[in-house]
């Protein structure tokens, strides 16, 4: 999934100056963004207040949407650089195509992980025919400087490790959690997990005190460290935690996002992450001229045009606005 905003503005993020070094409970509200003709997303990162959670730098939550009589997700070919995309579904399916030749249908509980490296383009669409409901999250992970020019690639993992406790089943999407490790390749110390809480669950999940964390609510109402978190909202938790209390009076689903605070300062514009205005401007020229990002074959439609660059200079800054 992409940032389809035709009035895109740069987001500056990274650096450790604004990382909260102690446990906090900061509830983040989403911004609603129209994605294509029939999909509206709730954008949690970048947020008006907080820009990153570890290396996680972009979080969209969408659905559940009834797309039985709709085209569903239709995201034309578009470019990425300097990041990984993480596709995670609760309901429905998404057909992924990219310029490396990948063609893969992603289903609930499966990891679709695309590493853009120096340059890639891809499209995402609901297959025809497709399931009635579409519900999931799309997330980006910023690549550190040492790895951001790597070769582009796509991974699909249908069998992911789990961590269980009474009332809890955690599916590990990316990184490490309580001794389990995702098969998806990570470039920074990170964790992403889908936490299914059953009715009456009252558990404590072990955490790494060096990580900062947030919890995104997908469905139901979960109490995270005593705070009720409703679907489409995210609770930022800061650092310094060794465990996380979780409770649910009815079935609920949340995503745990965390990682070592990302030290480098970044510029995120449209679907690119760079370190300077020159890099972003060059990426736009390359995409407009049809070079570098390759071709997505098989999608029935034209690629997305890049938005105009802002007139003000783009400068990397810190993690919050």
């Amino acid at each position: 999934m992409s940032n389809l905003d035709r009035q895109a503005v740069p987001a500056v993020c990274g650096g450790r100056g604004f990382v909260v070094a102690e446990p906090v409970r900061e509830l983040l509200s989403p911004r609603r963004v129209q994605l294509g003709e029939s999909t509206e997303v709730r954008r949690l990162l970048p947020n008006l207040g907080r820009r990153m959670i570890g290396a996680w730098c972009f979080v969209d939550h969408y659905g559940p949407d009834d797309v039985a009589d709709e085209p569903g997700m239709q995201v034309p070919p578009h470019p990425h650089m300097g990041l990984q995309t993480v596709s995670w579904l609760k309901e429905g399916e998404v057909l992924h195509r990219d310029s490396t030749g990948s063609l893969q249908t992603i289903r609930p509980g499966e990891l679709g992980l695309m590493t853009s490296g120096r340059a890639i383009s891809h499209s995402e669409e609901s297959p025809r025919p497709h399931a009635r409901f579409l519900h999931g999250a799309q997330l980006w992970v910023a690549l550190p400087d040492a790895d951001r020019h790597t070769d582009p690639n796509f991974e699909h993992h249908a069998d992911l490790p789990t961590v269980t406790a009474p009332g809890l089943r955690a599916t590990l999407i990316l990184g490490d959690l309580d001794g389990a490790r995702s098969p998806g390749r990570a470039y920074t110390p990170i964790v992403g997990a889908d936490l299914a809480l059953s009715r009456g669950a009252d558990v404590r999940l072990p955490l790494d005190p060096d990580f900062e964390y947030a919890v995104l609510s997908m469905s139901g109402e979960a109490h995270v460290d005593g705070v009720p978190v409703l679907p489409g909202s995210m609770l930022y938790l800061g650092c310094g935690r060794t465990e996380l209390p979780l409770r649910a009076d009815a079935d609920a689903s949340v995503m745990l996002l965390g990682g070592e605070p990302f030290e480098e300062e970044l510029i995120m514009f449209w679907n690119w992450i760079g370190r300077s205005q020159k890099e972003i401007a060059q990426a736009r020229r390359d995409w407009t001229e049809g070079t570098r990002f390759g071709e997505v074959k098989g999608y029935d439609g034209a690629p997305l045009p890049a938005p105009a660059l802002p007139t003000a200079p783009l400068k990397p800054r810190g993690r919050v606005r």
Side-chain angles (χ1 to χ4, degrees), residues 186-270:
Y187 292 84
T188 57
I190 198 170
V191 64
D194 181 280
L195 310 182
L197 298 166
S198 58
R199 180 179 181 180
D202 190 355
V203 297
R204 292 179 177 268
L205 188 66
L207 300 181
D208 185 333
D210 292 331
F211 282 17
E212 60 177 340
Y213 290 95
V215 169
L216 167 65
S217 176
M218 299 292 287
S219 62
E221 179 180 327
H223 293 255
V224 181
D225 197 16
V227 179
V229 185
L230 298 176
S233 61
M234 186 162 69
L235 184 68
Y236 176 70
L237 297 162
C239 297
R241 293 177 180 270
T242 58
E243 60 180 14
L244 182 63
L246 297 164
R247 181 173 63 82
D249 297 328
D251 291 353
S253 174
V254 302
M255 292 185 72
L256 175 71
L257 305 176
E260 184 177 282
F262 198 82
E263 185 173 9
E264 299 170 32
E265 296 184 341
L266 313 171
I267 295 174
M268 185 164 64
F269 178 75
W270 199 43

Side-chain angles (χ1 to χ4, degrees), residues 102-258:
S102 300
L103 177 63
Q104 179 65 54
T105 300
I106 303 168
R107 297 180 173 84
E110 301 177 353
L111 170 61
L113 176 64
M114 186 181 75
T115 301
S116 70
R118 61 179 177 272
I120 200 171
S121 56
H122 74 138
S123 65
E124 291 169 297
E125 57 187 308
S126 294
R128 302 169 189 166
H130 55 256
R132 177 176 180 179
F133 292 102
L134 182 63
H135 181 204
Q138 181 71 26
L139 312 98
W140 297 356
V141 179
L143 289 173
D145 188 63
D147 300 298
R148 66 191 183 100
H149 300 294
T150 190
D151 291 340
N153 68 85
F154 177 78
E155 302 173 44
H156 174 249
H157 300 284
D159 187 14
L160 297 171
T162 59
V163 174
T164 60
L168 169 69
R169 180 179 175 86
T171 301
L172 188 55
I173 301 169
L174 197 63
D176 300 84
L177 179 68
D178 196 24
R181 172 171 291 183
S182 167
R185 182 170 182 182
Y187 292 84
T188 57
I190 198 170
V191 64
D194 181 280
L195 310 182
L197 298 166
S198 58
R199 180 179 181 180
D202 190 355
V203 297
R204 292 179 177 268
L205 188 66
L207 300 181
D208 185 333
D210 292 331
F211 282 17
E212 60 177 340
Y213 290 95
V215 169
L216 167 65
S217 176
M218 299 292 287
S219 62
E221 179 180 327
H223 293 255
V224 181
D225 197 16
V227 179
V229 185
L230 298 176
S233 61
M234 186 162 69
L235 184 68
Y236 176 70
L237 297 162
C239 297
R241 293 177 180 270
T242 58
E243 60 180 14
L244 182 63
L246 297 164
R247 181 173 63 82
D249 297 328
D251 291 353
S253 174
V254 302
M255 292 185 72
L256 175 71
L257 305 176

